[in-house]
Amino acid sequence: MLEWLNRRFFGYLFIEMSGFSPERFLNMCTVHEIELWEVVNSGQTYQFFMTVSGFRKIKPLVRKSKVRLRILKKFGLPFFLYRNKRRKFYALGFLSFFLILYSLSLFLWDIEFEGNRMYTYDTLLKYCESEQIRYGMQKSKIDCDGLEESLRTAFPEITWVSARVSGTRLLVKIKENEVLSEIPAKDETPCDIVAEKDGVITSMIVRTGVPMVAVGDTVTKGQILVSGTLPVIGDSEEIMNTHYVHSDADIRARTEYHYTRQIPMYRKIDVETGKVRKGYYIKVFEYSFLLMRPRPEGTSWKRTMEEEQLHLFENFYLPIYTGTITGKEFISYERPYKDEEKKELADKFNKDYEKKLLEKGVQILENHVKILDNESLCQFTIDFVTDEPFGKQEALEIQRTEEPEETNHSNERN
C-alpha cells in the first residue's frame, strides 16, 4: 500500500525500449538498484514501468547499452497537476473537498457503547443527550472524564467506564456489576396469603402464619389460605391478645387456564409477480435524496431498505448515509384457511401460551386444543390443566382495641 501511494505521489512512467542490447540495460538497472516492474517483451521492444527518480538516473546506462527509450504515458500527482494547472476551479474544488473533510473531522458523528447488557443502547444514548453529548457536536466540548463519572453515578450497576474520542466517534466501554449492589430489605409487613384464582391445593408448607386450608381442599379466588392473625388464647380458652405477622408459605395448587383466539375465516395472500424496482438514496445530515422510478398507478409493492454510514477509516465516520431500496410488486387475494393451516395456527398459539406459562414456573399437566368454525370466524380454544405456585400476599387490616377509660366513682354517704 505504501509503495503504491509513493509511486502515485512522486509519479511514474510507462516506457518502451528498443535498440542494440536491451538485456544489458536491464542488468545494469538491477545492479544500480533502479526499480523496474511489469517488464514485457513484445518481440522487438520491451515495455515496462519505472519511477521518475529512476528515469533521471539512467542516462549513462542508456548510452552504454545503446538503447532508445520512448515515454508512452505518464502517471501520478506531478503530471496530473501539470496537465490541470490552468483549471483553477478544478483546483479550488479539490482543495475545498479537503477543507470540508477537515471541518467534518472536528465534530462527532457516531457514538458506540461496548459491554452494556443490562442497559440498552437507546437508554445510554438518551442519557448522553441529556448530558448535552449528541451527534454533530464539537469534539472539543466532550468531557470524557465527566461523562465517565456521571455514567457511574446515574447507573448504579455500572462499575467501570472508559470513554474516549477516536476520529469522529465516541467510544464508551462499560463493565456492569454482575452481583446485586445491595441486599433487598426483608418485608415484615403483616399480611395474609390469599388465592388469586380458583384451584385445588396440592402441596402446602407454612413457615409463618396460621394455615386456613389443607392439601386437597378446593379454594376460590380471594379465599384466605394462610392467615397473618395469631390469636393468643388464655387458660379459659378466651382470646387474650392478637399478634399480626407476615405470612410466609410455599403453596402449589392444581389450576386451569382457558385461552380463546379468533381469526377471520379468510386469509389474505400476497403473491409476488416477479417485477422488481431498485432505487438509491443518500442522506446528508437531515436531508435525503431518493432516486427511484415511481410505481405504476394501481399496483402494490413491498419495499426493503439497506442503509450504511460512510466512513473513510475505522473511526472516521461522516454524517452521510447511503442506501439501496428494493421494491417487489405483489398482488393480493383472499381464500379460506385450509385445515392444515388451521392446525399450524393452533399449534403456534398453543406453543406461545405454553411458553408464557412455563416462564412463570407453571407445570403443565394437561393440554386440550379445539378448533371451531362459524360463518365468518375461526375460533381456537386452548385449555390447560396446570400445577403452579399459588397464593399472593395481601395486607391485612389491623384491628386495634381501645382500652376502656378508668373512672373513679365515689359513694357519698348522706
Side-chain angles (χ1 to χ4, degrees), residues 11 54 67 97-98 128 148 158 186 218 228 242 303 305 318:
V67 296
F97 170 77
F98 287 99
C128 288
E148 293 173 359
I158 295 179
K186 187 177 180 180
T218 301
T242 302
R303 296 198 302 180
M305 181 180 65
L318 300 174

Side-chain angles (χ1 to χ4, degrees), residues 256-262 342-355 357 364 366-372 379-386:
E256 295 181 359
Y257 287 86
H258 305 281
Y259 297 100
T260 300
R261 183 77 174 267
Q262 292 181 338
K342 293 178 184 178
K343 291 179 181 179
E344 290 178 0
L345 285 174
D347 185 59
K348 179 181 180 300
F349 296 151
N350 185 28
K351 289 182 178 178
D352 291 342
Y353 291 130
E354 185 177 332
K355 182 180 178 182
L357 293 176
I364 299 174
E366 298 178 17
N367 187 354
H368 305 283
V369 181
K370 295 180 182 179
I371 303 176
L372 303 175
Q379 179 173 297
F380 300 88
T381 303
I382 304 175
D383 299 324
F384 291 98
V385 178
T386 62

Side-chain angles (χ1 to χ4, degrees), residues 265-282:
M265 281 292 295
Y266 290 82
R267 66 174 299 185
K268 185 179 180 182
I269 304 296
D270 296 334
V271 180
E272 295 182 0
T273 62
K275 295 182 180 180
V276 178
R277 293 185 305 126
K278 289 192 175 182
Y280 303 91
Y281 80 94
I282 182 171

Side-chain angles (χ1 to χ4, degrees), residues 210-243:
V210 179
M212 306 300 290
V213 295
V215 174
D217 290 351
T218 301
V219 297
T220 58
K221 181 179 179 181
Q223 182 176 343
I224 298 177
L225 306 178
V226 179
S227 175
T229 303
L230 301 180
V232 179
I233 301 175
D235 295 337
S236 59
E237 297 184 358
E238 294 180 356
I239 298 176
M240 305 296 296
N241 199 355
T242 302
H243 292 293

Side-chain angles (χ1 to χ4, degrees), residues 281 306-311 317 320-324:
Y281 80 94
E306 296 181 1
E307 184 180 81
E308 182 180 2
Q309 185 176 1
L310 295 185
H311 57 94
Y317 277 69
I320 303 174
Y321 299 83
T322 60
T324 58

Side-chain angles (χ1 to χ4, degrees), residues 110-313:
D110 187 61
I111 300 176
E112 179 182 348
F113 298 98
E114 181 181 339
N116 56 306
R117 290 175 295 180
M118 186 176 302
Y119 301 104
T120 63
Y121 178 87
D122 292 336
T123 300
L124 297 174
L125 184 61
K126 288 180 180 179
Y127 176 78
C128 288
E129 292 177 351
S130 67
E131 295 293 316
Q132 306 304 317
I133 297 177
R134 54 175 56 91
Y135 295 108
M137 69 174 298
Q138 293 184 10
K139 297 190 301 183
S140 58
K141 296 183 178 180
I142 300 176
D143 182 7
C144 292
D145 295 335
L147 177 61
E148 293 173 359
E149 183 178 354
S150 63
L151 281 172
R152 289 193 298 266
T153 304
F155 301 96
E157 300 303 330
I158 295 179
T159 58
W160 178 83
V161 183
S162 173
R164 65 184 180 92
V165 176
S166 179
T168 58
R169 306 179 73 191
L170 174 61
L171 305 176
V172 183
K173 294 184 178 181
I174 292 173
K175 186 175 181 181
E176 297 174 346
N177 189 10
E178 298 179 356
V179 183
L180 291 176
S181 57
E182 59 181 8
I183 300 175
K186 187 177 180 180
D187 187 7
E188 298 292 346
T189 306
C191 66
D192 296 330
I193 297 179
V194 300
E196 68 263 40
K197 60 190 304 184
D198 299 344
V200 179
I201 305 298
T202 57
S203 67
M204 188 172 185
I205 301 175
V206 179
R207 286 183 287 270
T208 308
V210 179
M212 306 300 290
V213 295
V215 174
D217 290 351
T218 301
V219 297
T220 58
K221 181 179 179 181
Q223 182 176 343
I224 298 177
L225 306 178
V226 179
S227 175
T229 303
L230 301 180
V232 179
I233 301 175
D235 295 337
S236 59
E237 297 184 358
E238 294 180 356
I239 298 176
M240 305 296 296
N241 199 355
T242 302
H243 292 293
Y244 299 96
V245 298
H246 182 84
S247 298
D248 185 16
D250 291 334
I251 306 172
R252 295 187 70 88
R254 182 186 178 95
T255 58
E256 295 181 359
Y257 287 86
H258 305 281
Y259 297 100
T260 300
R261 183 77 174 267
Q262 292 181 338
I263 62 172
M265 281 292 295
Y266 290 82
R267 66 174 299 185
K268 185 179 180 182
I269 304 296
D270 296 334
V271 180
E272 295 182 0
T273 62
K275 295 182 180 180
V276 178
R277 293 185 305 126
K278 289 192 175 182
Y280 303 91
Y281 80 94
I282 182 171
K283 180 181 177 183
V284 181
F285 297 103
E286 298 179 356
Y287 305 97
S288 59
F289 306 92
L290 175 65
L291 297 175
M292 190 174 186
R293 291 184 292 108
R295 68 175 187 177
E297 187 176 355
T299 59
S300 300
W301 297 77
K302 292 181 179 179
R303 296 198 302 180
T304 58
M305 181 180 65
E306 296 181 1
E307 184 180 81
E308 182 180 2
Q309 185 176 1
L310 295 185
H311 57 94
L312 299 180
F313 307 103

